[in-house]
Every structure is written in structure tokens, then in C-alpha cells.
Amino acid sequence: MNTSELSSVLGRLAAGALRFAATDARERAELARRTALATVAVAAPWAEAAVAIKRAVPGSGSALAEELATGPMGTARLCLLTARAQLDIAERGLPRAPSTPRLLHAGRRSVGGTPPALVGLDLLPALGPSGSLHDGMIHQGFAATVRCHDPGGLANFQQAWRREVEERPRAGGVAVVLGAGNVTGLSAADVISQVFEHGRGVLLKLHPLHAPLRPHLESALGPLVEAGLLAIVEGGADVAQAALAAAETTHVHVTGGEATFRAIVWGSADPGDRTASPRLSKPITCELGNVTPWFILPGRYSRAELAHQADLVAASIANNTSFNCIATKGIVTCRSWPQRADFLALVERRLASLPARPGWYPGAVRDWEGATGRVAPADGTLPCSLFTGVDMKTDDRLLARERFVPVVAEVPLDADDLAGFCGRALAFSHRLPGSLAASVTIPNGLSAVDARHAEDFVDHLAFGVVAVNTWSALAYALGNVPWGGFPGATLAVPKSGIGFVHDPLLLPLVHNSVIRAPLWSPIRPPWFPWHSAGARLTRGVVELYGRCAEGKSGTGTLLTMLPAVLRG
């Protein structure tokens, strides 16, 4: 694409954003609903193309389940949530949530950067444009709460929320979105957020790995293309640089690594030099990954609870060959916890049962060898590797930076009780690069004092999402949990990124979110790589969302999935 062609495309997107600013909420809801339908219609070829990109075995149930879930399923759900929010705005001025805003921690002192008071809002069960998305069944026992800064009481919060709803989607301009190469649904979600949450036209520059997806994404997001709000281009760094430099570009959004962010913002300058100036003069938001921890609080777990949590940890390592910004990289335990050896044996056994997957992401084989100190298999696969008893004082190489490889370090901390462990674990969390997401496993049956220590620990973890008893990836899949790094990042120190995506409710002053799940469940998540019917279930949920987008209940579709749910 030459400069004149690029300028013409960006000009059309700017004009599309102006037209979009003049539409009302009902028209926006209809556009989001039609985008959900278009996404569902192309779900199968999208997922199959993604499986091919990742060199998985064609027809592989686990790989297909992953790609359906993280691509079309998540995209369709985000569109449905967006449509519902816009309909609510048309009817009552504000999006509807399962709970009313409430004050959290009134009167508390600020500790570790957490504001002295927060406003909480529950996000489950969510609704689509025609009613239920069946969250009560699909996400049974789960809860999600977004926490916003308190602007001085609930009345002020409502006013701030109304301002966001009225002003933010009418910002206009053109955003250049630089797509990530690890998960195929990331670029689509970034586009939807830029269009509906900020009112921008979007030039999506695909990651080179995702070039085969272009026709499928153009079909899935076809209503946005037809509305003049989206153009999708391929190319290398030269295309990205030209788009960033174009006069018509008013905003930049990046999902990727910190090195990419620094190259875009600073070029060859040192951000640590106070005399240096950013090369990029336009506003930028970004999500830059994480060295993701999973904290296991000491206590007494039943055999079933221990096995279920070990499975969750193992699946979070193995999913997508661990090429996820929230793949677990550090398991943090208490050295004196009596069940520590049993738990780690369960994780290791589950990982060992899984076939090694291809190291398809650029540089992954080299990085795996550097992390493990071993030569990678000749067939290009990357076995999952768990290193136990890692002492960060003498060897921090596995947790010093984010690695897109299925390698995880178990770090035991010395503590005499749960309170001592929580204090040391909180200090440890501050040493980890990134602030995107963390998971915490909490045992049942704690004393009132220990339960309070556990909740204080969750409350003060400085991550954009804290997941209790489940993998933090669920927060991304839910679609209405704001997703991004913990507040406080800057251009010089971006941590896990600046700003949030996945905010269809257009919430003000977002701080972070907490999601919760049962410690044990008889229902196995379809994203477990060993799930016998994972592909069938994810296919069913995609179909369910399609029925919801058509204005139908989807109950029949849900009932047909029950046998696969029960088999697990």
C-alpha cells in the first residue's frame, strides 16, 4: 500500500467515524448485533484457519476448541454485550448491570497504591440484546466485579458514568490497531472496543502470522467494514510506520510486547533519560503482557479440590502452547504447606500426559532452550516444563521477563502461617514484571482471621484482573470485564499497558476487576486440553450466541450441549 492509498483509506475511516458519531444508541446496537451474526457465520473457517496457522493436527479437538473459544466465540459475545449496553443507553441513559454501584472499603487507608475507597459493580450474569446469554448455566457459581475509583460518593460516580456514556463514543478520529500474533480474537476485540467504546474508525494492521485470517476477519467484521469504520491491511513494519505517521491517524492501540511498544513510542531514545522525548506524538493505549503468577494459599484442600486446582494451573500453562500473555509462568506456594508436594505432582502428571505442541510462534524454540537449558526436540515441538523449588534470590531467569514458552517456575516462600505467606507473596508480586493478571487459589474452611487475610491479599494485588480459584483468562473471555494493566503505567514505564479494552458498559475511573469461581466444580471447562468434548461445547456456545443475536432464546441449543457437559 503506497502513501496515497493509505491516506485515502484513512480519510474514509475518519469520515465513517463522523457518521458514526451522529448515530443514536439503537443504531449502534443494531450494528453490534449484525457484527455478532456475521462473526458466528464465519466461525468454522476462522477457527480452521487459526488451527492451520498454529500447525496443530487438523481436526484436533483441543486445538479447535481453543481457537473457537478465543476467536469467534469471544468476539460474538463482546458484540452481544455491546449491543445490550447500547440498547440500555437508548432506553434509560446508562447501561444496565446485574447490580447497582456500591461503595467498597469506605474509610480504608490507601495501601500499596490501592485507593482508600472504591466503587464496585457486578458484571455477571450478563445480558445480550434479546435477553439472557445463559450465564447462569454456562458460568454457574462464578462472579465478576469491576472496581472503580470513588469520585466522592455514588452520586458523583453516576454523573461520571453518564459523562463517559455521552462523550467517549463520540470522540471520532482514526485509530491504528497493531494486531497481536498469538491469539486470533485479540485484533477483533481491539477493533470492537475502538469503534463502540471510543467512536473511532479503525485501520487494523494484521500481524504477519495472521495474514491468512484476513478474509475471515473481513467477513466477521463485515458490518463495520461496510459502515466505513474498519479497514484491514497486511504488511510489515513499513506499513505500520506509515500508518502511525499519517496525519489522519489520531490514536494508536497496540497488543504485543514491551519491545514493540518502546520502538513505537521512543525509537532509539532511552525512556529512562529524562531529557528524551517520545518519538510518537499521538495518544497510545496498549496491552503488553505479563509474567503471570498463580498463588496457592496454604490450607487444607480435599483431594477433589486439589486435583481441580492443579488441572486449572496445568491447563493455563498448556493452552495455546503457552503463547498467551496470561499463561501461568510462576506458581507461588508456601514451603511448609503439607500438600505442596501432592499438588505439584498433580500438575506435573497432568502436563506430562499432554502431547508436546509445535513451537509455531517466532523465536519460541530458541527461547524454550534458553529457559530450560535443553535442546528442543527435533520435530519442533515444545514440551511443558515445570521447575520446582526455584529460589528467586539465586536464579530469577525464568521470571525476569515474559517468555512465550510452556515453561513455568514454582517458587516456594517461607512462612509459618497463612498471614505470613500472604505478606511475603504480596511483596513477591511487586518483583514480577507486568501488572496484567494474577490468579489466587484460596482453601475453604478458613478461620475468620485467615479469611480476612486472604481477602486483603486479593484486594491489594496490583493487577488489572485478579482471579480467585480460576484462570484469569476467563475474565478476558467474559467480554465485559475491563481488560488492561493495573493503573499507574506511563510511557516510560508501561508495565502491562495503558488503558482498558472490553468495556462495553463505558465505565468511568476503572481501577481493576476481581473474578471468583468455586474451588471445585463437577463441570470441566471446555478449554481443558484433555476435555473429550471441548470442540463440541465451544461450537455449541458459538451457535447459542448466534441464536441470541437472531432474537431467539437459545435454550434448545443449550440443552443439546448437556450430554457433552456432563461427560467432561
Side-chain angles (χ1 to χ4, degrees):
M1 177 179 289
N2 60 42
T3 303
S4 61
E5 289 175 323
L6 179 63
S7 180
S8 176
V9 169
L10 292 171
R12 288 197 298 270
L13 293 172
L18 281 174
R19 290 193 300 272
F20 188 68
T23 61
D24 62 27
R26 289 191 184 278
E27 291 174 286
R28 296 177 189 183
E30 177 60 14
L31 180 61
R33 187 193 68 83
R34 288 194 290 110
T35 305
L37 278 173
T39 296
V40 170
V42 77
W46 175 347
E48 289 161 5
V51 168
I53 289 169
K54 299 180 180 183
R55 291 190 260 148
V57 178
S60 168
S62 61
L64 185 60
E66 283 181 9
E67 299 311 322
L68 283 166
T70 59
M73 187 178 87
T75 303
R77 180 178 171 90
L78 179 57
C79 289
L80 293 173
L81 295 169
T82 299
R84 176 73 262 168
Q86 291 297 319
L87 287 175
D88 288 340
I89 291 169
E91 293 169 2
R92 56 191 295 271
L94 281 178
R96 200 182 309 269
S99 75
T100 57
R102 62 187 183 280
L103 278 178
L104 307 173
H105 314 302
R108 185 187 66 182
R109 293 186 302 108
S110 176
V111 178
T114 299
L118 296 165
V119 175
L121 191 68
D122 296 330
L123 302 172
L124 285 178
L127 297 176
S130 59
S132 175
L133 294 178
H134 302 282
D135 281 359
M137 177 72 74
I138 297 172
H139 301 297
Q140 186 174 10
F142 288 78
T145 302
V146 62
R147 311 191 311 169
C148 302
H149 294 256
D150 174 24
L154 295 179
N156 287 342
F157 178 81
Q158 293 279 5
Q159 290 178 1
W161 194 1
R162 288 187 181 277
R163 280 196 301 273
E164 289 291 298
V165 166
E166 293 167 3
E167 297 173 8
R168 202 201 310 169
R170 300 183 186 278
V174 178
V176 170
V177 171
L178 301 181
N182 58 326
V183 176
T184 66
L186 291 176
S187 294
D190 289 345
V191 166
I192 292 163
S193 293
Q194 288 297 320
V195 170
F196 290 100
E197 296 168 25
H198 299 281
R200 297 174 180 132
V202 177
L203 180 76
L204 168 60
K205 208 288 284 185
L206 290 176
H207 189 283
L209 281 173
H210 288 180
L213 282 171
R214 179 175 176 179
H216 307 305
L217 289 175
E218 287 180 332
S219 295
L221 304 176
L224 302 182
V225 175
E226 294 163 9
L229 292 166
L230 172 64
I232 302 177
V233 298
E234 303 169 37
D238 57 331
V239 175
Q241 290 168 1
L244 296 178
E248 296 88 350
T249 298
T250 60
H251 187 86
V252 178
H253 183 79
V254 180
T255 299
E258 187 174 340
T260 300
F261 172 85
R262 292 195 183 283
I264 291 170
V265 175
W266 295 95
S268 60
D270 178 7
D273 181 355
R274 294 188 177 183
T275 65
S277 298
R279 181 174 72 172
L280 183 71
S281 60
K282 297 164 184 176
I284 184 170
T285 50
C286 54
E287 190 258 89
L288 303 176
N290 199 43
V291 175
T292 306
W294 196 310
F295 300 93
I296 312 295
L297 270 56
R300 182 63 195 172
Y301 297 85
S302 71
R303 185 182 299 272
E305 291 166 348
L306 203 67
H308 184 66
Q309 290 297 308
D311 278 353
L312 286 166
V313 172
S316 75
I317 298 165
N319 183 274
N320 197 30
T321 325
S322 219
F323 300 156
N324 295 321
C325 56
I326 44 171
T328 296
K329 299 302 178 189
I331 304 170
V332 186
T333 64
C334 182
R335 192 186 303 275
S336 61
W337 175 39
Q339 293 178 293
R340 174 177 167 241
D342 292 339
F343 177 77
L344 294 175
L346 288 168
V347 175
E348 287 190 290
R349 192 175 305 133
R350 182 60 85 180
L351 291 175
S353 73
L354 300 173
R357 297 174 62 173
W360 54 269
Y361 198 82
V365 172
R366 182 181 64 251
D367 217 5
W368 186 91
E369 292 179 336
T372 63
R374 304 196 299 265
V375 176
D379 62 2
T381 61
L382 301 179
C384 293
S385 300
L386 172 61
F387 290 81
T388 61
V390 173
D391 185 350
M392 286 284 286
K393 294 178 183 177
T394 59
D395 184 8
D396 67 349
R397 62 191 172 85
L398 294 179
L399 299 175
R401 65 175 177 86
E402 181 185 34
R403 295 175 184 265
F404 266 17
V405 290
V407 179
V408 63
E410 183 258 345
V411 181
L413 303 179
D414 293 314
D416 295 328
D417 53 21
L418 185 140
F421 175 79
C422 288
R424 286 173 172 79
L426 188 62
F428 176 82
S429 73
H430 295 152
R431 297 176 56 188
L432 294 173
S435 61
L436 184 61
S439 290
V440 183
T441 292
I442 302 176
N444 289 325
L446 293 177
S447 69
V449 171
D450 278 347
R452 188 161 59 250
H453 284 303
E455 284 305 308
D456 284 345
F457 176 64
V458 169
D459 195 42
H460 289 101
L461 282 170
F463 293 87
V465 166
V466 179
V468 177
N469 297 335
T470 192
W471 185 23
S472 53
L474 175 65
Y476 190 93
L478 290 173
N480 59 349
V481 176
W483 187 257
F486 193 77
T490 65
L491 293 180
V493 186
K495 297 185 179 180
S496 281
I498 301 169
F500 291 94
V501 295
H502 282 194
D503 184 20
L505 298 185
L506 301 172
L507 293 163
L509 307 169
V510 172
H511 177 68
N512 77 339
S513 301
V514 177
I515 65 172
R516 299 176 186 270
L519 187 60
W520 174 84
S521 172
I523 299 174
R524 301 295 180 257
W527 47 266
F528 276 6
W530 51 88
H531 199 295
S532 62
R536 180 178 175 184
L537 284 175
T538 47
R539 219 183 268 118
V541 175
V542 171
E543 181 184 341
L544 170 69
Y545 288 160
R547 302 284 287 179
C548 293
E550 291 171 346
K552 301 171 183 176
S553 75
T555 302
T557 303
L558 191 67
L559 291 176
T560 63
M561 291 190 284
L562 282 180
V565 170
L566 296 175
R567 280 202 306 270

